[in-house]
């Protein structure tokens, strides 16, 4: 039954508990944004206050020193860049986007089996918004999230409609992530073949995200501003656009605007530095706050892969960097503790990193 849009509990029950998602609400016919989705003004993404990223995508077909420098520079400044000739087949990118649309178009009962209380495996989770129980206003997005352990487990538990393409995407992206992390850590003085790298990217999570069209995207967010918690994120976005990175003073951009939009580039993947890479680099690489704005013309899909350290990995700035900098900007902690701390709080922008900051 369609919910009473003026009643927050009724909307919550329909969207979150029953698993209809924001897509279900939009499909039921919606002409205005329900109150629970209206963000406070300081959480909105003001399009008028945004510029477009002009940095051309980095061509990875020849990974020489010059390309390495481009990668390092991008990680140090914006913390976001796009790559082409990345080794992930272009036909796969297309089928990932199609598959995401198809998955979210499935009838409720095929998706609701992956809601946390009933999912056949804790590694698979279908949901909406970010942490609906803890947020002041909900995010205008639905998602299915899968943590990779091994192929057997994935083939047994991941939704049958999406598992093949996702596994192929993971396989080729991991090669890409490893190369990028090697370059970034080598630049900090680590050895390219240091076995630590496999521990640092040992946890891999893939998601398909659906952002339905929204009657008033000025007052909602698809996903509110946050930084990613792991090492490095690979993101496939479609041609709708809406991914914005928050500009900070130290970013070497003239502070004319509040946001930089990462425009869709056909065939490209977006790469961003996440919190642990910022910690390891003692703050040299930037885990930037970012957010997604909705549109009123199209529904948007994206397919991120989040690579993270193993839960038991000890995190701290690399000793080589601390020695050079003469100061450690973050204390040592266990990655699992950081993760738990984050899931206890709703999206909270860069304050997340305060967990480990010294001074
Ligand atoms: O959908 C996007 O473009 C970004 C998603 C994102 O930032 C995230 O899921 O962490
Ligand atoms: Fe993110």
């Amino acid at each position: 039954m369609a919910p009473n849009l003026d009643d927050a509990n009724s909307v919550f029950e329909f969207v979150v508990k029953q698993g209809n998602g924001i897509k279900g609400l939009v499909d039921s016919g919606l002409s205005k944004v329900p109150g629970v989705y209206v963000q406070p003004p300081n959480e909105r993404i003001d399009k008028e206050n945004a510029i477009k990223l002009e940095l051309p995508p980095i061509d990875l077909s020849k990974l020489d020193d010059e390309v390495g420098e481009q990668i390092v520079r991008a990680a140090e400044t914006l913390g976001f860049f796009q790559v082409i000739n990345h080794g992930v087949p272009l036909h796969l990118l297309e089928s990932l986007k199609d598959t995401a649309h198809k998955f979210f178009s499935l009838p409720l009962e095929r998706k609701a089996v992956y809601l946390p209380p009933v999912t056949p495996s804790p590694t698979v989770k279908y949901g909406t918004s970010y942490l609906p129980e803890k947020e002041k206003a909900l995010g205008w997005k639905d998602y299915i999230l899968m943590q990779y352990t091994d192929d057997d487990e994935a083939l047994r538990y991941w939704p049958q409609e999406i598992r093949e393409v996702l596994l192929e995407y993971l396989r080729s992206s991991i090669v890409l992530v490893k190369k990028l992390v090697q370059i970034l850590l080598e630049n900090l003085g680590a050895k390219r073949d240091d076995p630590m790298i496999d521990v640092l990217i040992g946890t891999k999570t893939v998601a398909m995200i659906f952002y339905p069209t929204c009657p008033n995207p000025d007052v909602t967010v698809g996903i509110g501003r946050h930084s990613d918690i792991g090492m490095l994120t690979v993101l496939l976005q479609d041609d709708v656009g809406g991914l914005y990175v928050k500009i900070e003073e130290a970013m070497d951009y003239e502070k004319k605007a509040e946001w930089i939009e990462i425009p869709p580039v056909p065939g490209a993947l977006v790469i961003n530095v996440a919190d642990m890479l910022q910690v390891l680099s003692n703050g040299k690489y930037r885990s930037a706050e970012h957010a997604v704005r909705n549109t009123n013309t199209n529904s948007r899909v994206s397919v991120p892969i989040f690579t993270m350290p193993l839960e038991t990995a000890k995190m701290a700035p690399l000793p080589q960097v601390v020695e050079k900098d003469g100061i450690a900007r973050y204390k040592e902690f266990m990655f699992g503790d950081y993760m738990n701390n984050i899931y206890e709080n709703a999206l909270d922008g860069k304050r997340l990193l305060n967990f480990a900051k010294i001074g």
Side-chain angles (χ1 to χ4, degrees):
M1 208 179 64
N4 173 359
L5 296 179
D6 296 321
D7 176 359
N9 289 332
S10 168
V11 171
F12 197 89
E13 176 71 25
F14 179 84
V15 173
V16 181
K17 292 272 174 47
Q18 294 171 12
N20 290 286
I22 181 61
K23 180 173 190 303
L25 199 61
V26 170
D27 290 349
S28 73
L30 197 68
S31 56
K32 73 181 215 328
V33 171
V36 282
Y37 284 93
V38 176
Q39 297 288 334
N42 63 336
E43 295 297 335
R44 300 177 190 174
I45 307 160
D46 182 4
K47 222 172 40 177
E48 308 306 321
N49 236 329
I51 51 176
K52 270 213 163 77
L53 176 70
E54 276 164 23
L55 186 73
I58 301 176
D59 185 344
L60 300 182
S61 50
K62 199 166 62 154
L63 257 183
D64 56 16
D65 288 353
E66 196 190 321
V67 174
E69 266 169 41
Q70 289 172 18
I71 292 166
V72 166
R73 212 175 317 126
E76 287 173 346
T77 50
L78 190 60
F80 268 74
F81 52 99
Q82 309 212 54
V83 293
I84 51 170
N85 295 316
H86 38 59
V88 183
L90 295 183
H91 70 85
L92 181 59
L93 302 186
E94 292 312 306
S95 51
L96 282 161
K97 289 180 273 184
D98 290 349
T99 308
H101 277 283
K102 282 195 193 117
F103 178 78
F104 288 98
S105 301
L106 289 172
L108 172 63
E109 58 276 15
R110 298 271 287 281
K111 295 179 286 188
V113 288
Y114 301 104
L115 286 169
V118 292
T119 183
S121 161
T123 63
V124 184
K125 181 179 169 197
Y126 164 68
T128 189
S129 192
Y130 175 68
L131 291 173
E133 269 83 10
K134 300 200 163 142
E135 289 163 319
K136 291 194 197 83
L138 297 180
W140 198 270
K141 70 149 199 200
D142 299 327
Y143 67 87
I144 175 117
L145 185 87
M146 287 136 291
Q147 188 176 330
Y148 178 80
T149 43
D150 59 56
D151 280 21
D152 282 349
E153 204 257 358
L155 291 169
R156 180 167 324 156
Y157 294 117
W158 294 12
Q160 167 224 323
E161 296 85 358
I162 60 178
R163 62 195 178 203
E164 305 283 346
V165 276
L166 286 178
L167 281 174
E168 204 184 330
Y169 179 46
L170 267 170
R171 274 194 284 273
S172 46
S173 297
I174 287 307
V175 179
L176 168 65
V177 168
K178 186 158 179 183
K179 268 189 217 149
L180 294 172
V181 170
Q182 280 174 330
I183 290 168
L184 289 168
L185 293 186
E186 197 174 33
N187 176 63
L188 301 175
K191 291 243 167 10
R192 186 167 274 247
D193 56 1
D194 192 323
M196 150 188 90
I197 292 177
D198 289 320
V199 175
L200 292 173
I201 57 172
T203 304
K204 303 151 187 93
T205 299
V206 60
M208 284 182 159
I209 311 180
F210 188 83
Y211 302 90
T213 48
C214 173
N216 184 2
D218 289 337
V219 302
T220 62
V221 295
I223 178 165
R225 63 198 167 81
H226 67 284
S227 58
D228 293 350
I229 65 175
M231 279 292 285
L232 202 71
T233 302
V234 175
L235 177 93
L236 169 64
Q237 67 167 335
D238 65 13
D239 58 5
V240 173
L243 174 60
Y244 289 83
V245 179
K246 190 102 199 225
I247 301 176
E248 288 170 40
E249 262 161 50
M251 272 180 177
D252 289 347
Y253 282 85
E254 279 176 59
K255 187 139 173 101
K256 290 184 294 235
E258 193 187 351
W259 298 96
I260 291 194
E261 185 180 7
I262 309 292
V265 171
L269 288 167
V270 178
I271 307 291
N272 68 280
V273 171
D275 292 348
M276 293 309 105
L277 202 44
Q278 178 166 326
V279 169
L280 289 164
S281 68
N282 207 24
K284 280 201 169 42
Y285 299 145
R286 186 171 297 276
S287 173
E289 261 185 46
H290 53 286
V292 173
R293 200 186 134 94
N294 299 111
T295 80
N296 55 13
T297 48
N298 297 86
S299 51
R300 172 180 188 267
V301 292
S302 71
V303 194
I305 292 179
F306 306 100
T307 62
M308 289 173 257
L310 297 177
E311 272 186 44
T312 50
K314 285 257 173 52
M315 304 305 305
L318 292 181
Q320 302 91 312
V321 188
V322 175
E323 198 181 322
K324 215 157 131 203
D325 293 351
I327 171 185
R329 298 202 168 83
Y330 307 97
K331 64 175 188 194
E332 187 181 279
F333 58 92
M334 210 168 75
F335 179 65
D337 291 338
Y338 182 64
M339 211 163 41
N340 291 337
N341 181 270
I342 281 177
Y343 291 130
E344 280 162 22
N345 302 290
L347 276 185
D348 202 4
K350 285 299 287 184
R351 273 182 294 160
L352 301 176
L353 260 188
N354 292 348
F355 175 80
K357 200 151 193 158
I358 297 177

